Amino acid sequence: MKAPPAQQRRMLDLADLDAELARFRHRLANLPEADEVVRIESELATARADVVNAQAAVTEMQTRYDHIDAELTGMTQHAERDRAQLESGLLSHKALSELQHELGGLQRRQELLENDLLEVMERQEALGIELDRSQSAVVDLEAALAEAITARDHATATGENQVTDFLGRREAIAGEVPDDLLAAYDRLRAQGQVGAGLLRQRRCGACRMELDPRTLASIAGTAEDEVVRCEECNAILIRTEQSGLSQPGQEQ
């Protein structure tokens, strides 16, 4: 494969641009703005679960309140009926004694239930505060998530525009390179390898391996327009005055 030295040197520009493009795409795929969205989404999921749990606790406590209140209402009505019978004066001594004893038991039970009801009301107040706090946290996090998504989308759009710019520059450089040379380079890139590297101070710029004297002598004796490859990584070797070649064939 042959190509003028100037066109071969453009392969270095292409390799540098591809390396920069790969780094940029990596950054684009790992935007801190995207990480922030994920973080807030996680916090929001937890906050929403807290709301569900707090609401369940409030509902449970309301059920307990309703149960105690209903029992108190029933006992109050029962006690009122008993008092009405006591005040009627129609009861026998034995029935009167039994009814008074029953009223005493009702009053003691009412006092216990009233204490329980006060505790439930205090607990309801605390649970209501916790529910309000959880709901406020959800509202705040939803607002923060909206802002984070906007920031992520803006960063993504900006990055994609820059990638488009990179690709335009790449297309322009690739247009200056012979098709067969570009195809060989692209095949290496498709295999995850560096397509081209500068031969500098006897070392391949693609794999960083130092070439042995026999190989260097062979390259030095090769015509300037001949495309040479690294024996270690198969990358296209670009020769310049930095290559350390002392034989004819190196770039002057």
Side-chain angles (χ1 to χ4, degrees), residues 146-192:
E147 291 180 3
I149 288 174
T150 299
R152 180 202 62 190
D153 292 348
H154 176 72
T156 299
T158 300
E160 288 174 348
N161 288 337
Q162 290 175 312
V163 167
T164 299
D165 179 64
F166 272 119
L167 293 176
R169 290 160 56 193
R170 187 188 194 281
E171 184 177 359
I173 294 174
E176 301 178 22
V177 178
D179 291 343
D180 55 350
L181 182 59
L182 181 62
Y185 170 87
D186 285 339
R187 279 195 298 272
L188 289 169
R189 293 281 301 168
Q191 297 167 7

Side-chain angles (χ1 to χ4, degrees), residues 65-134:
Y65 176 92
D66 292 342
H67 175 77
I68 296 173
D69 186 58
E71 187 175 355
L72 266 173
T73 299
M75 293 186 72
T76 300
Q77 293 171 349
H78 191 168
E80 288 175 351
R81 289 194 299 270
D82 285 354
R83 290 190 186 95
Q85 291 185 56
L86 284 173
E87 294 171 358
S88 69
L90 301 176
L91 299 176
S92 65
H93 179 73
K94 180 179 179 182
L96 183 63
S97 177
E98 289 176 352
L99 196 57
Q100 288 175 332
H101 179 74
E102 181 179 292
L103 268 174
L106 286 172
Q107 288 175 345
R108 288 191 295 273
R109 177 60 181 160
Q110 278 183 299
E111 290 174 358
L112 290 174
L113 288 174
E114 287 169 353
N115 288 334
D116 288 346
L117 197 61
L118 285 174
E119 291 179 3
V120 168
M121 292 172 66
E122 290 175 356
R123 182 63 180 149
Q124 280 182 312
E125 182 179 2
L127 289 174
I129 292 172
E130 179 61 23
L131 178 59
D132 289 343
R133 184 202 64 78
S134 299

Side-chain angles (χ1 to χ4, degrees), residues 172-245:
I173 294 174
E176 301 178 22
V177 178
D179 291 343
D180 55 350
L181 182 59
L182 181 62
Y185 170 87
D186 285 339
R187 279 195 298 272
L188 289 169
R189 293 281 301 168
Q191 297 167 7
Q193 298 174 256
V194 178
L198 171 65
L199 175 58
R200 182 179 183 182
Q201 297 179 351
R202 302 181 177 85
R203 190 178 297 275
C204 171
C207 64
R208 308 300 180 186
M209 293 293 293
E210 184 173 342
L211 279 63
D212 61 70
R214 178 190 60 79
T215 301
L216 288 170
S218 175
I219 293 173
T222 302
E224 291 182 345
D225 63 349
E226 187 73 30
V227 176
V228 297
R229 310 286 282 267
C230 174
E231 291 184 351
E232 294 292 336
C233 67
N234 206 34
I236 298 167
L237 282 176
I238 309 302
R239 293 166 286 169
T240 71
E241 65 278 0
Q242 303 177 51
S243 297
L245 300 174

